[in-house]
Amino acid sequence: MKRLRKRIIVAGAGLSGLTAAAYLLRAGHEVLVIEKSAACGGLVSSFRKDGFLFDTGPRAFGNAGILAPMLADLGINLTMVKGEVSTGISDHIVHYDRPEGVEDFLGSLRAIFPESAADMPAIGKRIRSSMRLSKALNRVPNPFFRNVFRDPGFFFREFLPLMPGFLEAVVRTGLADQSIEAALASLTANRSLSDMICQHYFKGTPASFVFGYFENFQDYVYPLGGTGRLPEEMVKLIESRGGEILTNTEIREIHPAANRVVDQLGVRYPYDHLVWCTDLRSLYGRTHTTDLEPRVRRNIQQEAARYAATGTGESVFTLFLGVDQAPEYFARISRGHFIYTPSPEG
């Protein structure tokens, strides 16, 4: 008789690894999470110093139709508050605690770049169009976490009115999208204006994502106690369901033919399935292909070579400053999440 319960190793205890572990446990499998760092959460963590709370990764979460339905599905109760956002260019401050915030942003661009006034209608049209798509994607709960057909009130009141926009968003996001740099180049010749719109995103980010992100500002939520509360609750859930988490443990070798991994101390861990939720370059670089079929070995070697040839991703440097000002001083300037650019030169 085929054994249904599998021993599964999840490599990496970031949010993706913790989520995978939680659902695998719920499906009845035996799960071991292996994390090389001392704590779980990956980029999502918080710490306290001198009575202040600091978030080391994201300063808020976008619900995006995923976070709230997933937490409800897993039975995790996190108290959230609205993560209000402000942006600033020089002395032009815009708040997004209301839907009209993007119009204020466009108005600030007109004031800062009057020489490009003729470009603004096309830029505004593109932003509003992408925002409609983002709104549909954000409001429709991911069907993996919530079955909308089981809630007739939600289905007729909220789901059906959003379906046309949601389907349009799915189709358009599935098509090839211009990079934000290419899209802005087609809308304006003013490089500084383009920089002010796309400066907070990685190079090559799809234009629909950047233009639509103004809608995402309405979707930010912040867990009381810091963003690190989310991985903390995920860890509690995993351990309460019998999952095991090993920290300060790094997988150094992967032997797929023998179905085992080996850590930095030489300890071997057998598995039925390996779920890799961390750096893919390390996955292929640490995989031993001996005893695999030639076709499988070639595929792994090709992937290893491809990832070895790629450059490193862009990174973020975070500086925490202690400022001798009352909180009310900053409350007069911005909301809690403030994205500021001192100069519009770009």
Side-chain angles (χ1 to χ4, degrees):
M1 182 176 178
K2 187 175 181 181
R3 183 164 61 96
L4 298 179
R5 180 178 170 88
K6 304 291 186 180
R7 177 174 172 81
I8 301 176
I9 290 179
V10 177
L15 284 187
S16 60
L18 295 174
T19 303
Y23 278 96
L24 288 166
L25 283 164
R26 193 167 79 172
H29 299 296
E30 178 185 351
V31 178
L32 169 64
V33 181
I34 298 180
E35 167 59 45
K36 69 177 182 180
S37 301
C40 299
L43 296 177
V44 182
S45 63
S46 306
F47 69 94
R48 291 186 179 274
K49 183 175 176 59
D50 298 332
F52 292 94
L53 176 68
F54 299 88
D55 297 308
T56 59
R59 273 50 170 186
F61 295 126
N63 177 46
I66 294 176
L67 182 62
M70 183 191 78
L71 294 179
D73 187 47
L74 289 173
I76 294 176
N77 184 22
L78 270 182
T79 302
M80 301 280 192
V81 296
K82 185 173 175 57
E84 296 181 343
V85 181
S86 299
T87 62
I89 303 173
S90 186
D91 58 348
H92 294 264
I93 310 298
V94 176
H95 308 301
Y96 298 89
D97 49 1
R98 58 194 184 91
E100 296 78 15
V102 69
E103 300 302 328
D104 296 337
F105 174 75
L106 291 168
S108 72
L109 293 182
R110 294 187 192 97
I112 297 169
F113 303 103
E115 69 279 11
S116 298
D119 301 331
M120 293 301 174
I123 292 174
K125 181 179 179 180
R126 185 67 183 273
I127 289 176
R128 295 184 194 98
S129 173
S130 295
M131 285 179 64
R132 286 194 296 272
L133 300 183
S134 293
K135 181 177 182 179
L137 291 173
N138 288 344
R139 301 293 173 82
V140 175
N142 188 299
F144 184 85
F145 304 115
R146 180 177 181 182
N147 187 339
V148 298
F149 299 104
R150 294 177 181 172
D151 185 347
F154 178 84
F155 179 79
F156 289 104
R157 184 179 62 255
E158 298 186 45
F159 184 74
L160 279 184
L162 288 169
M163 275 307 294
F166 178 76
L167 293 175
E168 180 188 2
V170 170
V171 171
R172 286 183 56 175
T173 53
L175 300 174
D177 195 359
Q178 281 181 301
S179 69
I180 183 59
E181 295 85 3
L184 285 169
S186 70
L187 295 171
T188 181
N190 189 329
R191 180 59 183 274
S192 295
L193 171 58
S194 295
D195 286 349
M196 291 303 100
I197 296 174
C198 71
Q199 60 180 321
H200 302 296
Y201 304 89
F202 293 133
K203 293 178 181 178
T205 299
S208 60
F209 177 84
V210 174
F211 288 134
Y213 208 84
F214 292 97
E215 173 62 32
N216 293 352
F217 288 158
Q218 297 288 317
D219 197 48
Y220 275 18
V221 292
Y222 184 79
L224 291 183
T227 55
R229 293 279 295 117
L230 177 54
E232 288 174 5
E233 292 300 315
M234 296 286 284
V235 167
K236 291 179 184 177
L237 177 69
I238 290 167
E239 292 178 338
S240 70
R241 292 182 175 176
E244 184 180 0
I245 300 176
L246 292 180
T247 55
N248 293 311
T249 305
E250 183 175 6
I251 295 175
R252 294 287 179 84
E253 300 176 19
I254 305 165
H255 298 270
N259 279 42
R260 69 168 181 262
V261 296
V262 183
D263 70 11
Q264 76 273 21
L265 299 178
V267 180
R268 299 178 178 187
Y269 305 89
Y271 63 81
D272 294 311
H273 296 286
L274 174 64
V275 180
W276 197 265
C277 295
T278 183
D279 175 50
L280 285 175
R281 186 183 298 188
S282 65
L283 167 65
Y284 292 108
R286 299 175 189 187
T287 298
H288 290 245
T289 58
T290 307
D291 298 329
L292 292 174
E293 295 179 9
R295 176 182 59 83
V296 176
R297 186 165 60 246
R298 284 194 302 271
N299 288 341
I300 292 176
Q301 289 169 345
Q302 289 172 0
E303 287 297 289
R306 184 165 73 90
Y307 279 98
T310 58
T312 57
E314 297 186 58
S315 61
V316 176
F317 176 79
T318 301
L319 176 65
F320 296 102
L321 297 175
V323 181
D324 189 15
Q325 291 282 2
E328 292 76 15
Y329 171 82
F330 297 100
R332 288 194 297 269
I333 301 172
S334 74
R335 305 299 184 253
H337 195 110
F338 191 27
I339 304 169
Y340 181 68
T341 303
S343 169
E345 294 179 3

